[in-house]
């Protein structure tokens, strides 16, 4: 087991940039039937949403100083989002509140094995790279993690320059693109060379690799290795099987998930990101242990509703790593 006491090894700070919104998670009989049919769902929860926000919450809960750079509206959902982030220990001083734009909203129709998401973007697409750079300037170097690339065209357009500047200042850079609603997967060729870490799931891995011209008949690990040779270590979420990572050398490092009775998979990938980023921030050098932090965090998050209902703590990690 690798356990790094924070009093002897202070973790590096993490700055997360991306989406901040609320999620309305519905479970049960959630497949819509039109024709004014009324259905009775089993449960509904209003929770913190947004890949960046869920990841930031997860990193903070693992004892790492965490700042979120995002935008919300001056409305009820914006207040809810900020309160939830503060409760998780996230520094929200870099979250802008827009007077004339609504906070984003996602409605998640969740089953134990899959989910559908309906999103009203609101303030989500309005974050800029200039804003992220201003937050980083003057801070000690740590980890910069960007999420929901395809939901934020302004940030995406600026991102190669933002990442290059951050790396020049000593920051470790990472990206979770999440799914592209337009399914074009464009713009990433200029981003990968400025990344230290790319954190897709298997479907996103294949979509990104295909958009970059990699052959579709290659297996997942070879595709990941080819992406890694473009710049970043590729850390892949593999559902119930846990996760794995590969560098430019093609060596695959795997870690299993934790067997759980799944309640809701919303945000599990973002909590996976949080576990991996926290391990890096805390100075964990063993790649297998880093991936294990990620798989434990991702697995445990499925025990609660929404992405932050049951995020891992350091005690959880210590217990699972000791097994």
């Amino acid at each position: 087991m690798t356990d790094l006491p924070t009093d002897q090894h202070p973790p590096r700070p993490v700055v997360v940039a991306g989406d901040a919104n609320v999620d309305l998670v519905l479970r049960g009989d959630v497949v819509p039937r039109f024709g004014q049919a009324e259905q009775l769902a089993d449960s509904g929860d209003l929770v913190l949403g947004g890949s960046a926000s869920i990841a930031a919450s997860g990193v903070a809960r693992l004892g790492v100083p965490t700042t979120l750079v995002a935008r919300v509206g001056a409305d009820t959902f914006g207040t809810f989002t900020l309160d939830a982030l503060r409760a998780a220990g996230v520094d929200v001083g870099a979250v802008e509140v827009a007077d004339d734009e609504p906070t984003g909203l996602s409605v998640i129709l969740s089953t134990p094995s899959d989910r559908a998401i309906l999103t009203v973007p609101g303030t989500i697409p309005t974050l800029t790279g200039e804003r992220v750079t201003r937050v980083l300037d003057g801070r000690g170097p740590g980890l910069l993690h960007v999420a929901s690339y395809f939901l934020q065209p302004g940030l995406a357009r600026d991102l190669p320059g933002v990442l290059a500047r951050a790396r020049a200042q000593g920051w470790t850079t990472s990206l979770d693109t999440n799914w592209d609603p337009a399914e074009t997967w464009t713009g990433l060729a200029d981003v990968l060379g400025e990344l230290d870490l790319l954190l897709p799931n298997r479907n996103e891995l294949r979509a990104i690799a295909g958009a970059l011209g990699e052959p579709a008949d290659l297996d997942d690990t070879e595709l990941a290795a080819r992406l890694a040779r473009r710049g970043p270590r590729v850390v892949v979420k593999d559902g119930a099987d846990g996760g794995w990572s590969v560098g430019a050398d093609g060596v695959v490092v795997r870690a299993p998930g934790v067997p759980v009775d799944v309640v809701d998979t919303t945000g599990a990938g973002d909590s996976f990101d949080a576990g991996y980023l926290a391990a890096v921030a805390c100075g964990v050098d063993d790649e297998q242990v880093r991936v294990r932090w990620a798989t434990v965090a991702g697995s445990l998050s499925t025990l609660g509703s929404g992405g932050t209902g049951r995020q891992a703590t350091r005690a959880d990690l210590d217990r699972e790593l000791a097994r």
Side-chain angles (χ1 to χ4, degrees), residues 16 19-21 49-56 145 147-148 176 178 269-271 273:
V16 182
D19 44 344
N21 57 273
S51 179
S53 295
I54 295 169
H145 177 65
S148 295
D176 184 345
N178 303 108
D270 307 317
S271 289
D273 294 349

Side-chain angles (χ1 to χ4, degrees), residues 13 18 29 43 54 65 67 95 97 99 163 174 176 206 303 321 323:
D29 180 12
S43 65
I54 295 169
T67 298
V95 179
V97 179
D99 292 330
L163 296 174
S174 66
D176 184 345
R206 298 199 69 85
L303 293 172
L321 290 169
R323 292 182 188 276

Side-chain angles (χ1 to χ4, degrees), residues 240-263:
D241 291 329
W244 48 275
S245 81
V246 61
D249 58 5
V251 175
V252 180
V253 178
R254 298 183 183 274
V258 178
V260 294
D261 293 324
V262 174
V263 172

Side-chain angles (χ1 to χ4, degrees), residues 38-312:
E38 183 171 359
Q39 298 167 232
L40 301 181
D42 292 343
S43 65
D45 296 290
L46 188 68
V47 296
L48 178 65
S51 179
S53 295
I54 295 169
S57 172
V59 175
R61 290 185 189 280
L62 290 170
V64 176
T66 307
T67 298
L68 179 67
V69 189
R71 299 187 83 238
V72 298
D75 52 23
T76 300
F77 287 162
T79 299
F80 180 96
T81 299
L82 291 171
D83 287 346
L85 288 164
R86 291 189 189 99
V90 177
D91 178 354
V92 297
V95 179
E96 290 186 298
V97 179
D99 292 330
D100 55 353
E101 301 165 80
T103 303
L105 166 68
S106 290
V107 178
I108 299 170
L109 309 178
S110 176
T111 69
S113 60
D114 201 359
R115 63 187 182 274
I117 304 174
L118 302 172
T119 295
V120 179
T123 52
I124 292 173
T126 63
L127 182 64
T128 65
E130 186 273 337
R131 173 62 177 163
V132 177
T133 295
R134 276 195 285 127
V135 172
L136 295 183
D137 284 349
R139 295 182 181 231
L143 280 69
L144 169 63
H145 177 65
V146 179
S148 295
Y149 175 89
F150 295 105
L151 296 182
Q152 301 169 103
L155 178 58
R157 183 173 54 252
D158 299 339
L159 198 55
V162 171
L163 296 174
R165 182 180 177 116
R167 293 180 94 190
Q169 295 173 346
W171 292 78
T172 299
T173 59
S174 66
L175 173 67
D176 184 345
T177 66
N178 303 108
W179 191 255
D180 178 8
E183 299 192 10
T184 60
W185 300 91
T186 57
L188 292 174
D190 294 333
V191 174
L192 292 185
E194 302 298 343
L195 285 174
D196 296 298
L197 302 166
L198 178 68
L199 296 118
N201 62 33
R202 288 177 61 184
N203 291 334
E204 292 159 355
L205 166 68
R206 298 199 69 85
I208 293 168
L212 294 172
E214 301 294 351
D217 59 350
L218 297 179
D219 65 22
D220 292 344
T221 55
E222 178 57 29
L223 287 176
R226 289 190 175 211
L227 293 186
R229 287 193 282 272
R230 295 172 181 257
R233 171 168 283 275
V234 180
V235 186
V236 181
K237 304 147 196 159
D238 204 6
D241 291 329
W244 48 275
S245 81
V246 61
D249 58 5
V251 175
V252 180
V253 178
R254 298 183 183 274
V258 178
V260 294
D261 293 324
V262 174
V263 172
D264 178 20
T265 59
T266 302
D270 307 317
S271 289
F272 177 105
D273 294 349
Y276 191 91
L277 295 172
V280 175
C282 288
V284 177
D285 293 324
D286 187 323
E287 182 61 20
Q288 202 277 334
V289 177
R290 288 182 177 184
V291 179
R292 182 61 173 154
W293 278 43
T295 61
V296 169
S299 297
L300 294 183
S301 76
T302 68
L303 293 172
S305 180
T308 58
R310 176 58 175 94
Q311 288 188 302

